[in-house]
Amino acid sequence: MPATRYRTQKLGDVDVFYREAGPANAPVILLLHGFPTSSHMFRDLMPELADSYRVIAPDLAGFGLTKAPPRGTFDYTFDALADVIGGFVDAMGLRRYAIYIFDYGAPIGLRLAMKHPERVTAIITQNGNAYVEGFSKEWGPWQTYWREPTQAHREATRAALTDDALRFQHEHGSPVGAVSPDAYLLDTYFMHRPEAQEIQLDLILSYRTNVALYPDFQAYLRKHRPPVLAVWGRHDAFFLPPGAEAYKRDVPDAEVHLLDTGHFALDTHHREIAALMRDFLRRRIAAA
């Protein structure tokens, strides 16, 4: 089994922690995690792909083991997070790559794709939303905060940051007893760090900028028609299956697979997702 390497890449005031596996000369897959997790979510997927691909998974600023400046000296917005990952891609010398986008990783990855469409060989979206159809009713408090960013509405969104809420994200929709506790326990640990919750509340408000960009993301997809594989947990409480199906509207040959699991599909279905990715990438782009 190919070994995973754990490294950091310094980008100004940000030290980006990342995991990497696979041959240096193999086709690249850039793996972008979401809320509230880190590159740890790819721990099982990476070895499944690393014999044929160079798989690279960075921690976003404010997440995991990436070290970023405190609030007030760093702009915790999605534009800023995308700028850091764009700098990381450049520093790593990545000129062509498939991109795996999950949750928060979707608007970050799609920002990168719009800026450099010539670099993106394919998009794998795993519960990575770009359409309003994908939102469930669980987004209600967040949407209220976006419309009226008062302190009271900010506090109402804090419910998404509790220990129970983090565990719910991992376990809901998955077979009982199938989810290892290490994932949500690690997310809980990181959420209890100084400033972590306030950073996440800042990003919850900034999420409205992603929704505002949905028409631009969709225009990019229509114009450039990257190969798209949508692999979603059909029981996701937050991003509904219509969000996966909607990709076909802009990329008619997009391939959609709904798995019998929840939001964190990799917690239970990493082998199935790896197999779907291998088949898709073999057919749609040149693989090693």
Side-chain angles (χ1 to χ4, degrees):
M1 181 177 292
T4 300
R5 301 171 292 280
Y6 308 93
R7 296 169 173 164
T8 58
Q9 175 65 53
K10 188 167 184 61
L11 299 168
D13 292 333
V14 180
D15 292 332
V16 177
F17 172 86
Y18 66 98
R19 301 163 191 256
E20 180 177 5
N25 61 347
V28 174
I29 305 175
L30 178 65
L31 306 164
L32 297 180
H33 71 81
F35 167 85
T37 188
S38 66
S39 62
H40 180 257
M41 69 170 282
F42 299 115
R43 65 198 178 281
D44 296 322
L45 179 68
M46 293 177 69
E48 297 283 342
L49 300 170
D51 60 332
S52 299
Y53 296 93
R54 182 186 178 195
V55 282
I56 302 172
D59 286 356
L60 302 177
F63 295 80
L65 295 174
T66 286
K67 295 180 181 178
R71 289 180 74 236
T73 60
F74 182 84
D75 191 19
Y76 284 96
T77 65
F78 279 86
D79 284 340
L81 267 57
D83 286 344
V84 170
I85 295 300
F88 172 80
V89 166
D90 290 341
M92 296 288 289
L94 308 182
R95 294 292 174 257
R96 295 276 287 170
Y97 50 84
I99 192 165
Y100 185 114
I101 55 176
F102 166 74
D103 192 85
Y104 278 16
I108 292 170
L110 290 171
R111 278 172 169 83
L112 268 61
M114 287 198 306
K115 186 174 183 179
H116 290 291
E118 75 284 356
R119 295 182 178 180
V120 177
T121 60
I123 294 174
I124 299 95
T125 172
Q126 186 255 294
N127 300 77
N129 198 52
Y131 298 88
V132 293
E133 296 95 319
F135 289 124
S136 76
K137 61 180 178 58
E138 299 294 332
W139 288 82
W142 291 32
Q143 291 167 329
T144 299
Y145 183 34
W146 302 342
R147 291 190 300 268
E148 299 179 48
T150 65
Q151 186 61 35
H153 290 157
R154 180 181 176 91
E155 288 303 314
T157 67
R158 196 182 294 273
L161 310 181
T162 66
D163 295 357
D164 286 343
L166 302 188
R167 180 170 181 171
F168 174 86
Q169 284 206 41
H170 282 274
E171 292 188 333
H172 178 77
S174 299
V176 174
V179 175
S180 172
D182 57 354
Y184 61 78
L185 289 175
L186 184 62
D187 291 350
T188 299
Y189 167 79
F190 286 134
M191 192 63 71
H192 283 273
R193 293 181 300 181
E195 291 197 318
Q197 288 207 3
E198 297 309 314
I199 287 170
Q200 293 303 326
L201 294 175
D202 291 346
L203 288 171
I204 288 173
L205 181 59
S206 180
Y207 200 95
R208 61 184 176 176
T209 66
N210 302 330
V211 182
L213 283 173
Y214 278 6
D216 295 329
F217 295 159
Q218 294 158 18
Y220 153 77
L221 292 167
R222 285 194 302 274
K223 179 179 180 180
H224 295 282
R225 297 288 180 88
V228 172
L229 172 66
V231 184
W232 285 34
R234 69 167 68 246
H235 307 304
D236 191 337
F238 309 100
F239 292 127
L240 303 175
E245 298 288 351
Y247 278 93
K248 290 184 176 181
R249 192 161 64 230
D250 296 310
V251 184
D253 63 352
E255 302 178 21
V256 178
H257 299 267
L258 302 178
L259 304 179
D260 190 22
T261 189
H263 185 61
F264 279 97
L266 288 177
D267 281 354
T268 54
H269 286 66
H270 68 275
R271 290 188 181 88
E272 292 88 340
I273 292 173
L276 289 168
M277 289 176 65
R278 281 182 173 277
D279 175 66
F280 171 77
L281 294 172
R282 176 186 57 78
R283 290 183 288 104
R284 303 297 295 271
I285 68 169

